[in-house]
Amino acid sequence: MESLIYLMQGFGTALDPANLMFAAVGVILGTAVGVLPGIGPALTVALLLPVTFKLDPGGSLIMFAGIYYGGMYGGSTTAILLNTPGESASVVTALEGNQMARRGRGGPALATAAIGSFVAALIATAGLAFFAPLLVKVAVKFGPWDYFGLMLIAFVTVSATFGSSPLRGLTSLGIGLWLGLIGIDQLTGQTRLSFGVPNLLDGIEVTTLAVGLFAIGEALFVASRHLFNDEKPMAIKGSIWMSREDWKRSWKPWLRGTAVGFPIGALPAGGAEIPTFMSYTMERKLSSKPEEFGKGAIEGVAGPEAANNASAAGTLVPLLTLGLPTSATAAVMLAGFQQYNLQPGPLLFVQHPALVWGLVASLFIANVMLLVLNLPLVGLWVRLLKIPLPWLYAGILVFACMGTIAANPSVIELMMLVGFGFLGFVMRRYDYPIAPVVVGLILGPMADSQLRRALQMSLGDPMILLQHPGSAIMIAIASIALLAPFFFRGLSKFRQDED
Amino acid sequence: MSTPTASRLHRPTLVIGIGLFAIAAITWHDAANMKIRASYGMGADAASYFISIFLGLLGLGHLISAFRRQTDPEPSDWKAVLWVSLGLLSLIAALWFDLGFVLGSTLLFCFTARAFGRKALLADIVLGFVIATGIFLLFNKVLTLGLPMGPFERLF
Amino acid sequence: MTYLHSKLVAAWLTAAVAVLPAALPAQAQDLELTITAPAGAGGGWDSAARSLQDVMMSTGAARSVQVINVPGAGGTVGLAQFVQSAEGSPNQMLVGGITMVGAIITNDAPYDLTKVTPIARLTGDPLVIVVPSSSPYKTMADLIEGIKKDVGRTIWAGGSAGGADHILAALVTQAAGEDPAKVNYVAYSGGGESLAAMLGGQVTAGVSGYGEWQGQIESGDLRALAISYPEPIEGIEAKPLKEQGYDIELVNWRGIFAGPGISDADKATLSAAVEKTVKSPEWQELIKARGWADYYASSDEFATFIATETDRVHAILSSIGLAQ
């Protein structure tokens, strides 16, 4: 119960009026910048990092916590309303969330995302406070073979985002995997498919791809269609609040999303994307109305958003206990710690308990503030959609391009963004799903390097994947998930296709 | 594009299939020319070969389905697509020729608005200019981030 | 939010100054510099550039300093852009380091460091060789013995392929009398991810910047066998490889460069401004806080150093098979 006493002291620190104000400022800034399309939490934190430099360490880290969580909230808003996720972890949110918004249910979608994020962050922050040292011991035992097993499961779950045609879904995934090859191979230093262009050597930036495919592709597609499509794509119908049924359909996904997101986020190479894919697939399988998926099922927003935020708190576990940044945002956070000569690591909890527990406590407080700030804002955000279509999309394009060149001021990066925009347009036009491309780009390189690391450690013996119980179990799960449908339903379905 | 094809061959699917074959061939060629070998385990070429084969199979799938009945996409307003493209190209050109972020974004804004049917060009230019200048000042001055500068931006 | 406010005021002041005619002879305190950090925000080169920015402005060595980030390919993208845009420019500088030397060679980059004008070497950090606390290896000699016994089963973890960590692992393997091409080096994206592999006991030994793993070394989770710095460092228990009888030294240095073909007068002005900054108590305090070691060398000394360093890195990268 030592932790509890420390946490109480932490609340003492965080509830100091000045610190409370820093948290509030952080939350507002984080939401405001994070809500811009094309700007995800990592860039938000990086942009606002200098603002915190001149504060004392405690106040600065507290403001930081606010910015971090605020940026996460902001990122999902644009994904839902405008189909322009600011970061890869919101790609899944956009799938159902934007469909809901198009059916005039943007309000409930934003609300379930906000409350789900709150619930997830609350539970996950508690997990961080009490189980971090324990969890990290398990997490570092995760070898490359185990990661490879996890990637296989993630790959299988991707099929949930394929839409109606497996051929098209696999083609999208293939394009993503192919894009993932581009650049210098991390393990050997060999360049792949860079065609002598230096800007390609570091590979394709996930954010550039996601923003190009979603924001720019969407703008092009809507432009090409609005003449023939009289219905306004995003009218607001009905209540902007969640109905009793929405609540009933949301609370389980929130908890399940948290349960998936937090532990995977805590893995040193887990990340935030994989749990969102997994949560989406899980909700689709467990939903009482699976036919609504792809047409705006609220579970498909509630689960992944909870998973996303839980994994964000999860990434703080290796960051605080090992000094190990596992996401772009966490890497920027680490830079923030180092500003004050604080080295996150095993000794941080011992050497600076007041600071760490103050940070944990302010995560709780930032979370409450976000809910208070965001629920009333739902009404305001939804009104964004009342902006006349020409200005709305013109604004989206300006912000999306700005986000990309702000992160990397290079014409070539902008050209890639535009190129991906046209790819997104063509894919939409011929009914290819968009999300698997992003998934392929994220998972492909990870699976590639983890598999090769495992084989390098075993001097080339593939049996290593089955010798470790963790990876053996995960590979078995992935194989069953892949093959079972063929055994049970596959044959009859194939016959139907023939007719 | 949208007219039902007389023959049973669906051209877009065929083109995509051929495109996939081309990408697969490039990837295979690239992998075959890799020089750095891994001392233990698999090299960087393994994934390239794997994905090359995968794309080849998908290309084959497209060729087969090109002979099946496909739904044609709905008609498109190509003029609108052209306007948006023009906007994006102006931003690229503005950065390429060091004319600055504000000019490029203003053009992007008003061309996109035009694509969606706005005719009030002057009003859109003013609005786009105000938005772009606001973004520029916010990012370059308050957040000290380097958005590309041109003659106009250097005035600040 | 007074900081934001002062930032705004400062911005307006710089803006006001910028429109004044800049025809006066260049003096250090009038310098308006742009420093290119050839990496994304938050990385080592970025923080070096921004630290320099802070101290140059606070000590009055320059009037204004702007940092721009040009990330990509171990700094070679930034270098190429810098070579093209900073030709003869009296107010542009670039941050670089040993990783860039390696990346130029492995990427076969179009421009190398002979194209730019060295101004000063700034900092140098020791690399550390560690084993997990549960490892049977207690000393550097044990590790060398292990390499001799089975070079393939001695698995190393460290940063990206061809980087400083990889080079050190290869040098140690070479010192053990084995072919450096046989080193079983597992590359991770950074000191963080390889740390997890170390703590999980999946690898035999690891290499990283000392600062990155300092916490784990002090807490006893990792055992430091040696550092790669030529001399012992105050506050670091591990002894240099040289002191332990292995003729290996490798310093993760960072330096600053000016554009190609700048005039001698401009070079002198820039060198003086950097020297003034580096010798200031503010800089010494700042690098201490960041855990960097002062490794200052003046322009000419730095130029010779780069030449020998390039040859050395090239030789070892060729023996690993990463360079022709």
Side-chain angles (χ1 to χ4, degrees):
Chain A
M1 282 296 94
E2 205 183 346
S3 313
L4 207 60
I5 297 164
Y6 274 130
L7 185 61
M8 285 304 134
Q9 285 170 355
F11 270 111
T13 315
L15 285 173
D16 173 78
N19 286 343
L20 220 49
M21 196 196 75
F22 289 140
V25 172
V27 162
I28 293 168
L29 280 179
T31 312
V33 178
V35 84
L36 300 177
I39 297 188
L43 193 56
T44 308
V45 176
L47 288 177
L48 296 176
L49 186 64
V51 180
T52 66
F53 282 174
K54 296 284 156 87
L55 306 174
D56 68 293
S60 148
L61 286 183
I62 284 164
M63 189 189 231
F64 228 60
I67 293 172
Y68 184 38
Y69 275 10
M72 303 281 307
Y73 269 71
S76 60
T77 306
T78 46
I80 290 171
L81 293 179
L82 308 174
N83 205 10
T84 58
E87 41 139 8
S88 43
S90 320
V91 163
V92 176
T93 308
L95 287 179
E96 297 301 319
N98 189 246
Q99 287 299 327
M100 284 180 74
R102 278 167 194 240
R103 285 165 176 73
R105 307 223 320 123
L110 286 175
T112 196
I115 301 169
S117 300
F118 171 75
V119 171
L122 202 64
I123 298 173
T125 311
L128 169 71
F130 297 107
F131 302 114
L134 186 78
L135 207 63
V136 82
K137 284 210 178 72
V138 182
V140 296
K141 290 281 174 225
F142 237 67
W145 33 84
D146 300 313
Y147 281 113
F148 182 67
L150 184 66
M151 303 298 153
L152 286 187
I153 295 184
F155 266 120
V156 174
T157 62
V158 173
S159 60
T161 61
F162 277 1
S164 54
S165 155
L167 178 67
R168 285 167 193 209
L170 284 171
T171 305
S172 298
L173 183 66
I175 293 172
L177 290 173
W178 183 75
L179 291 171
L181 284 177
I182 295 174
I184 297 176
D185 166 48
Q186 203 183 42
L187 268 78
T188 58
Q190 171 71 53
T191 53
R192 292 191 282 211
L193 295 167
S194 63
F195 312 108
V197 180
N199 301 62
L200 289 178
L201 288 177
D202 276 356
I204 306 284
E205 186 67 48
V206 177
T207 328
T208 306
L209 178 75
V211 172
L213 284 178
F214 279 93
I216 301 196
E218 175 82 2
L220 281 164
F221 187 63
V222 175
S224 79
R225 293 278 297 277
H226 83 282
L227 266 190
F228 309 98
N229 224 346
D230 240 6
E231 69 166 306
K232 245 194 126 190
M234 296 176 285
I236 301 148
K237 271 182 275 178
S239 164
I240 66 164
W241 298 112
M242 288 168 70
S243 67
R244 183 183 289 268
E245 202 209 337
D246 290 335
W247 280 95
K248 230 169 82 186
R249 289 174 60 180
S250 288
W251 71 271
K252 279 190 203 151
W254 291 338
L255 296 182
R256 286 193 288 253
T258 310
V260 176
F262 182 61
I264 295 184
L267 288 177
E273 297 89 6
I274 294 174
T276 59
F277 306 148
M278 287 183 156
S279 164
Y280 182 77
T281 309
M282 198 154 78
E283 295 315 326
R284 196 185 158 111
K285 292 260 187 279
L286 293 174
S287 169
S288 53
K289 293 179 176 165
E291 70 280 359
E292 269 189 30
F293 270 78
K295 295 177 194 122
I298 194 164
E299 294 94 334
V301 180
E305 261 309 296
N308 182 5
N309 272 54
S311 78
T315 56
L316 292 176
V317 172
L319 182 70
L320 291 179
T321 54
L322 298 176
L324 201 156
T326 56
S327 65
T329 321
V332 186
M333 295 270 285
L334 185 65
F337 280 101
Q338 286 164 339
Q339 285 296 324
Y340 303 103
N341 197 23
L342 291 172
Q343 186 61 45
L347 300 180
L348 186 67
F349 276 82
V350 183
Q351 287 170 346
H352 306 281
L355 208 62
V356 176
W357 290 101
L359 174 69
V360 172
S362 41
L363 286 174
F364 279 112
I365 291 169
N367 202 17
V368 175
M369 282 185 172
L370 274 170
L371 191 70
V372 174
L373 176 76
N374 274 277
L375 279 184
L377 277 182
V378 164
L380 181 75
W381 293 136
V382 172
R383 231 158 277 151
L384 260 186
L385 300 181
K386 288 197 172 158
I387 297 175
L389 223 49
W391 286 348
L392 183 65
Y393 279 99
I396 290 175
L397 285 185
V398 168
F399 276 107
C401 293
M402 184 276 292
T404 301
I405 40 185
N408 183 359
S410 127
V411 186
I412 298 187
E413 196 74 19
L414 182 64
M415 286 173 164
M416 282 202 263
L417 178 81
V418 171
F420 292 137
F422 281 98
L423 179 67
F425 169 64
V426 172
M427 290 178 71
R428 276 181 175 78
R429 189 171 150 77
Y430 292 104
D431 205 20
Y432 286 81
I434 305 289
V437 185
V438 184
V439 175
L441 179 66
I442 294 167
L443 288 184
M446 284 167 96
D448 179 29
S449 33
Q450 298 292 10
L451 174 63
R452 281 163 56 210
R453 278 191 193 121
L455 291 176
Q456 205 180 340
M457 289 180 189
S458 72
L459 305 186
D461 179 9
M463 289 311 286
I464 193 168
L465 297 173
L466 302 179
Q467 279 157 1
H468 290 266
S471 60
I473 292 169
M474 283 190 279
I475 291 171
I477 293 174
S479 322
I480 292 169
L482 187 68
L483 299 176
F486 287 102
F487 282 123
F488 296 122
R489 286 175 288 137
L491 282 172
S492 57
K493 204 177 170 190
F494 265 50
R495 280 197 198 105
Q496 277 171 9
D497 277 355
E498 289 298 306
D499 299 333
Chain B
M1 292 287 270
S2 59
T3 47
T5 29
S7 71
R8 282 168 51 92
L9 196 65
H10 189 251
R11 214 175 293 153
T13 314
L14 188 71
V15 170
I16 292 170
I18 292 170
L20 288 169
F21 276 129
I23 296 174
I26 293 170
T27 310
W28 188 281
H29 177 78
D30 182 73
N33 283 316
M34 287 182 188
K35 290 204 183 75
I36 301 170
R37 299 272 155 233
S39 314
Y40 304 92
M42 288 193 309
D45 52 348
S48 292
Y49 285 125
F50 174 78
I51 290 166
S52 170
I53 293 169
F54 183 55
L55 291 175
L57 290 175
L58 290 170
L60 205 64
H62 274 82
L63 289 197
I64 294 169
S65 67
F67 289 97
R68 292 193 182 166
R69 193 186 306 267
Q70 303 269 337
T71 43
D72 271 304
E74 289 168 47
S76 286
D77 174 8
W78 292 107
K79 240 188 222 159
V81 175
L82 216 64
W83 276 114
V84 179
S85 315
L86 195 66
L88 290 166
L89 285 179
S90 340
L91 180 60
I92 292 175
L95 299 194
W96 189 275
F97 296 109
D98 282 329
L99 296 173
F101 170 81
V102 172
L103 175 73
S105 294
T106 306
L107 291 177
L108 174 60
F109 189 91
C110 65
F111 284 149
T112 309
R114 176 69 185 76
F116 283 88
R118 291 255 322 162
K119 293 278 159 62
L121 193 63
L122 196 66
D124 290 344
I125 288 177
V126 171
L127 186 63
F129 177 76
V130 169
I131 291 174
T133 311
I135 293 174
F136 173 77
L137 289 179
L138 177 72
F139 277 77
N140 280 45
K141 297 303 173 193
V142 183
L143 299 174
T144 62
L145 204 93
L147 287 174
M149 310 238 273
F152 171 72
E153 286 84 353
R154 279 187 246 279
L155 293 179
F156 291 94
Chain C
M1 294 308 339
T2 49
Y3 173 63
L4 257 183
H5 202 87
S6 67
K7 203 85 222 208
L8 262 177
V9 173
W12 281 111
L13 281 179
T14 21
V17 168
V19 291
L20 291 174
L24 300 159
Q27 281 183 341
Q29 56 271 30
D30 291 329
L31 277 176
E32 285 169 8
L33 293 172
T34 305
I35 301 180
T36 302
W45 287 333
D46 177 61
S47 46
R50 289 186 196 273
S51 308
L52 208 55
Q53 173 187 37
D54 279 355
V55 180
M56 285 190 105
M57 281 160 71
S58 67
T59 57
R63 176 181 292 159
S64 76
V65 181
Q66 203 199 352
V67 172
I68 54 172
N69 296 86
V70 186
T76 53
V77 173
L79 176 66
Q81 183 172 322
F82 184 75
V83 168
Q84 287 162 10
S85 68
E87 169 109 46
S89 162
N91 51 12
Q92 291 196 54
M93 294 206 283
L94 169 83
V95 175
I98 190 168
T99 319
M100 195 188 264
V101 174
I104 290 166
I105 298 167
T106 51
N107 299 348
D108 213 2
Y111 300 104
D112 61 16
L113 290 177
T114 61
K115 290 281 183 297
V116 288
T117 313
I119 295 295
R121 191 177 65 193
L122 299 171
T123 61
D125 303 336
L127 300 180
V128 64
I129 299 173
V130 301
V131 291
S133 59
S134 58
S135 165
Y137 299 151
K138 307 283 180 212
T139 64
M140 198 60 213
D142 293 345
L143 177 62
I144 297 275
E145 214 41 55
I147 298 172
K148 281 183 180 161
K149 207 175 281 167
D150 193 341
V151 63
R153 291 237 172 254
T154 307
I155 302 164
W156 295 81
S160 61
D165 301 352
H166 194 176
I167 292 174
L168 184 59
L171 287 171
V172 170
T173 307
Q174 200 172 33
E178 296 290 335
D179 179 2
K182 287 232 172 82
V183 62
N184 194 350
Y185 180 84
V186 184
Y188 289 87
S189 56
E193 231 188 303
S194 55
L195 177 61
M198 289 298 304
L199 295 175
Q202 294 141 16
V203 293
T204 319
V207 185
S208 173
Y210 186 84
E212 285 188 76
W213 290 357
Q214 190 174 7
Q216 277 72 22
I217 293 169
E218 281 170 8
S219 71
D221 292 313
L222 297 177
R223 186 182 310 125
L225 300 182
I227 55 169
S228 64
Y229 211 68
E231 301 114 40
I233 294 179
E234 200 193 318
I236 296 182
E237 216 175 290
K239 294 278 168 286
L241 282 160
K242 276 212 158 150
E243 207 169 278
Q244 303 189 36
Y246 307 100
D247 188 22
I248 302 168
E249 67 166 273
L250 193 69
V251 177
N252 184 8
W253 54 267
R254 299 187 189 95
I256 188 144
F257 303 86
I262 66 165
S263 71
D264 287 345
D266 289 335
K267 185 176 160 189
T269 312
L270 288 175
S271 302
V274 172
E275 187 175 354
K276 182 181 174 190
T277 311
V278 175
K279 296 267 162 78
S280 70
E282 287 96 330
W283 176 259
Q284 294 301 331
E285 200 177 301
L286 184 141
I287 62 171
K288 207 168 164 202
R290 293 286 169 84
W292 297 339
D294 190 4
Y295 204 48
Y296 176 75
S298 64
S299 176
D300 294 340
E301 199 186 326
F302 186 32
T304 343
F305 173 78
I306 291 170
T308 54
E309 196 77 348
T310 306
D311 290 344
R312 210 159 73 95
V313 171
H314 193 279
I316 191 72
L317 286 176
S318 320
S319 70
I320 313 175
L322 282 175
Q324 276 75 52

